[in-house]
Amino acid sequence: MACRISELVLNCRDPERLAAFWCEVLGYVVLDREEGSVEIGPKEGFGGLQPTIILSPTDNPKAGRLPLHIDVNPTDRDQAAELDRLLAIGARFADVGQTGEESWHVLADPEDNEFCLLRRRLDDQ
């Protein structure tokens, strides 16, 4: 028997703001709100193949690079069009020492959490 990731927890200053951003990025919906935290996930809810994300409030701002980051892939457009969409909804370019030769883009969400937009398009299933 093995485990799989069912939830990711991200501490943040403004859970509602990040929930709105990540819902837009991933096509997720708000599943639950509890004690200041917001849980987002696929419309089908918790327990499917895609993990939910819990955005948990904290007063301790992020310091430095995250030891773990999220990678996303476009599902219904090419990488360039998806990059334009992500920048339009509030993502920003982030410099983590990349050379410029990478096939992915390093971005940051509204609270400066790094994530990567990969080139390979995935099926949206």
Side-chain angles (χ1 to χ4, degrees):
M1 184 56 69
C3 293
R4 69 179 171 81
I5 296 172
S6 59
E7 298 175 344
L8 301 172
V9 179
L10 182 59
N11 293 331
C12 58
R13 291 181 302 275
D14 189 345
E16 292 290 339
R17 180 178 181 206
L18 275 194
F21 175 80
W22 283 105
C23 279
E24 186 71 23
V25 170
L26 300 170
Y28 275 17
V29 298
V30 172
L31 299 173
D32 192 24
R33 288 181 170 88
E34 187 175 320
E35 298 178 14
S37 292
V38 181
E39 183 174 14
I40 63 172
K43 293 175 182 129
E44 299 79 28
F46 177 83
L49 293 177
Q50 296 178 352
T52 63
I53 300 173
I54 298 173
L55 300 148
S56 182
T58 184
D59 292 331
N60 299 323
K62 177 178 101 70
R65 287 182 57 193
L66 293 174
L68 178 73
H69 69 267
I70 296 171
D71 287 345
V72 298
N73 294 72
T75 59
D76 62 353
R77 63 199 72 174
D78 66 18
Q79 184 189 42
E82 184 62 1
L83 177 62
D84 290 342
R85 185 183 80 86
L86 294 174
L87 293 171
I89 64 171
R92 294 177 311 286
F93 286 106
D95 183 358
V96 296
Q98 60 270 41
T99 66
E101 299 298 317
E102 295 81 6
S103 62
W104 62 88
H105 297 283
V106 181
L107 303 169
D109 72 13
E111 289 197 12
D112 295 322
N113 300 302
E114 298 91 4
F115 68 101
C116 294
L117 172 62
L118 305 182
R119 173 170 285 161
R120 188 169 146 229
R121 185 171 156 181
L122 297 178
D123 186 3
D124 65 353
Q125 301 289 337

